[in-house]
Amino acid sequence: MSSRKLQVVSPVPADIDIANSIVPLHISEIAKDLQLNPDHYDLYGKYKAKVLLSVFDELKERQDGYYVVVGGITPTPLGEGKSTTTVGLCQALGAFLDKKVVTTLRQPSQGPTFGIKGGAAGGGYSQVIPMDEFNLHLTGDIHAITAANNLLAAAIDTRIFHENTQKDAALFNRLCPPNKEGNREFNDIMFRRLKKFNITKTKPEDLTPEEVNKFARLDIDPDSITWRRVMDVNDRFLRKITVGQGPDEKGMVRETGFDISVASEIMAVLALTTSLSDMRERLGKMVIGNSKSGEPVTADDLGLGGALTVLMKDAINPTLMQTLEGTPVLVHAGPFANIAHGNSSIVADKIALKLVGPGGYVVTEAGFGSDIGTEKFMNIKCRYSGLKPQCAIIVATIRALKMHGGGPLVTAGKPLDRAYVTENVGLVEAGCVNLARHIENTKAYGVNVVVAVNKFSTDTDAEIAAVKNAALAAGAFDAVLCTHHAHGGKGAVELGIAVQKACENATQPLKFLYPLDISIKEKIEAIARSYGASGVEYSDQAEKQIEMYTKQGFSGLPICMAKTQYSFSDNASAKGAPSGFVLPIRDVRGSIGAGFIYPLVGTMSTMPGLPTRPCFYDIDVDTETGRVKGLS
C-alpha cells in the first residue's frame, strides 16, 4: 500500500499547518492500491478523482468487507472528535495493521467552514487531505445540488405564474406545441403525469377538455409549498424573503426563504440513492407542495425530474481522496443530521465494501450522537442499502461525560471551567449514564459496540479507567483509549484491534427499531422510547400533517427525527440520561423523494447565521505559494 509514516511533533500544530506539511500522493497511486485502473475514475486535478458507479457493477459478485459505523455520546457544543476518530482508526487499520480499508465521509458545507464550526476533515494527525480542497469546492457536488434545487424552485413559481395568466387550452398548447410537421406529441416525462390520472391516450389531440385540465393545470396551492431556494453560505437575512415583487410578475408575491444547500432534499436523495436510475426516480418523486385539492405535486409533475438528474449525473460518483497516512477516503454527500439522516452516501459505502473485499474494512461516520446519527444510519440508510454493519463505535470524551454528570455549562468560544481540566472521577462516573444508554440502544440493532475514549491532555488514568469500566458494565464489546489526534494512526492501533475482533465475532442479524408497516405515530413513539420518553405529544399542526401524509399514501416511509443533538430529550439543557419526559412534536414534514418523514421536535434552523467573529477572519492565501492559511 501507498501508506506513509508521519513525523509527529508536540504540541500538536494547527490542523492546516499539519495538512500543508504533507505532500499528498497522486490520487492515481491511491486508486492503484484499490486495484482501480484509469477507466474506473475521472481525475479532478492531482489529488481528487470521481470513482464511477461502473466499479460496483464490475465487482458485484465479490464478497463485501466489514462495515463499521462511528457514532458518539451526546456531545458538548465543542464536538467530541467523531470525524477525527473515524480517520485515525482507518489510518491505524491501513498503515499499521496492514488491512485494506476505505473511510467514507460526508462532504462538509462551506457554511460552517467560513462560519463558526470550521472544517470537517478530522484534526491533528488524523485528517483527510488536501484539507483545503476537502472543505471548499471539492468536485462541485454541492454546487450541482444548489443548481438543481434552484431550478426546481424557479419552475414552481413560474408554473404558478403561467397557470394564473392562461386558460386551459392556451396552457396545453404551449406545453405540447406542434413540431415542424404540425403534429403535437407528449414527451417521456409527460406520460408520467398522464399515468397519474390513468390516462392511456398517447396523442395530445385525443384528450378531452377534462383530461386537458387534469394534465396541464397543477393548481399548486402557494401556501402549501415546502420547496425553498438554497445557497452554501450562512446568511441569516435570507431565512425569510418575499419573491415576485418585480413589475412583470403581475403582483404574484409570496413569502418564502433560503436554506443552506446541504439542507436540500436533493442532498438527501444523493445520499440515499442506490443507482443512477434510482436517483432519477427519487428526484422525480420529490413533493414540493400540494394542489388546491390536496394532492401532492412532484418534480415530475413540473416536468423536471429528468433535467434534475442531468444536473446531478456527475455528482452521483463519489470523490476519492486520502488521509495523512495515505489510506483511501471516499467523500460523498453531506445531508443535515437533523431534518435529514446525517450520513454519507450508500453508493460510496457499497463501492468501498467491494473494493476492500473479504477481510477489509469500510468505516463511516454518522452525524451527531448515536441517538440521532446511528439510529438513522440503521433505520433509514441500512434499510435502503440492504447493508448490515458488524461493529458500531461510540466516541466518548471525559469532558462530555463530566458535563453529563452535572458539570458546568460548556460553551463554544469560552474557556472550560476548572472542573473539566482537573481530576473528578465522581463527575465522570455520574455522566456515564449517558454512555450506557447509547450502548444499550446501539446494541439493540444486533451489532457489537466498541467505545473509543478520545483522549485529551488533561484526562487522568483514573478517569479513563472509570469510563472503560462503565462501558464494559453497560455491555460494550470493548472500550479503548485513543490518541490519534496527537499520534495519527499509531494512536488508534488498539482501537483497530478491538474493531477487528468485534467484526470477526459479529453473529446477529440487523434488527430495526420499528417495522415500516405500522403507523407514522407508532414509529415516532418507538424512537421516542429509545430516547427515554414516556410519551409523545402532538401539536394540532403535527396531527394535521400526519393525517395528510397518511391519506396521500406516505405512511410506509421510515422516520427521521429532527431533534436537538445536545440531549436525549427535546430540552438541550437536560443532560445525562433523562427519562419520563413527554416528547413534543411541533410539526411533521416529508422528504418523499429521499424517502422519509421528518417530525420536528422543537424549532430547527435550516439556514445558519454568522457569528460576530466568523472563521473567515482567519482564512487567507499565501500569495507566494498559493497555499491556504487559517482553515480549521
Side-chain angles (χ1 to χ4, degrees), residues 432-442 530-532 568 577-579:
C432 281
V433 293
N434 184 271
L435 173 61
R437 182 176 290 173
H438 283 294
I439 293 170
E440 179 186 353
N441 285 352
T442 306
S530 77
Y531 298 155
F568 275 109
S579 60

Side-chain angles (χ1 to χ4, degrees), residues 156-157 160 220-228 254 288-290:
I156 294 165
D157 287 310
I160 295 171
I220 298 168
D221 177 1
D223 292 335
S224 75
I225 296 171
T226 54
W227 199 264
R228 290 155 59 95
R254 73 178 184 91
I288 59 91
N290 297 327

Side-chain angles (χ1 to χ4, degrees), residues 6 8-9 11-15 18 80-81 83-85 87-89 91 122-127 324-325 453-457 482-492:
L6 293 174
V8 303
V9 298
V12 178
D15 291 348
I18 294 173
E80 310 319 309
S83 299
T84 308
T85 302
V87 175
L89 167 61
Q91 291 180 172
Y125 286 102
S126 295
Q127 293 187 56
L324 287 170
E325 298 191 66
V453 184
N454 188 16
K455 189 177 189 304
F456 286 70
S457 60
C482 306
T483 61
H484 45 272
H485 183 272
H487 302 118
K490 185 178 180 181

Side-chain angles (χ1 to χ4, degrees), residues 192-254:
R192 293 176 181 245
R193 180 151 178 86
L194 292 168
K195 186 178 179 182
K196 194 172 183 176
F197 298 107
N198 297 314
I199 299 172
T200 57
K201 297 170 183 176
T202 58
K203 295 181 180 179
E205 58 266 26
D206 292 341
L207 266 60
T208 66
E210 182 186 4
E211 289 170 335
V212 166
N213 175 271
K214 284 183 177 180
F215 168 78
R217 197 163 291 280
L218 304 184
D219 202 27
I220 298 168
D221 177 1
D223 292 335
S224 75
I225 296 171
T226 54
W227 199 264
R228 290 155 59 95
R229 289 162 174 81
V230 300
M231 64 188 305
D232 198 34
V233 172
N234 290 4
D235 191 342
R236 68 175 70 240
F237 286 94
L238 291 178
R239 290 171 179 167
K240 191 172 185 179
I241 63 168
T242 304
V243 295
Q245 293 189 358
D248 295 333
E249 279 59 69
K250 301 182 180 179
M252 292 180 195
V253 175
R254 73 178 184 91

Side-chain angles (χ1 to χ4, degrees), residues 315-334:
I316 197 174
N317 299 312
T319 299
L320 180 64
M321 296 188 74
Q322 62 191 285
T323 67
L324 287 170
E325 298 191 66
T327 61
V329 181
L330 284 178
V331 185
H332 203 213

Side-chain angles (χ1 to χ4, degrees), residues 6 83 95 98 118 120 184 224 258 272 319 332 348 471 478 550 554 575 580 617:
L6 293 174
S83 299
D98 201 28
R184 298 180 187 277
S224 75
F258 274 76
L272 289 171
T319 299
H332 203 213
D478 204 348
T550 303
F554 301 134
K575 305 303 182 183
Y617 272 88

Side-chain angles (χ1 to χ4, degrees), residues 547-599:
E547 183 181 354
M548 180 191 75
Y549 286 128
T550 303
K551 182 181 176 183
Q552 291 177 343
F554 301 134
S555 63
L557 294 174
I559 298 298
C560 182
M561 297 286 268
K563 177 185 77 70
T564 177
Q565 68 268 39
Y566 296 123
S567 174
F568 275 109
S569 76
D570 61 298
N571 177 7
S573 63
K575 305 303 182 183
S579 60
F581 57 91
V582 175
L583 193 73
I585 305 297
R586 181 177 63 85
D587 199 356
V588 177
R589 298 176 190 168
S591 289
I592 305 304
F596 53 79
I597 300 290
Y598 62 98

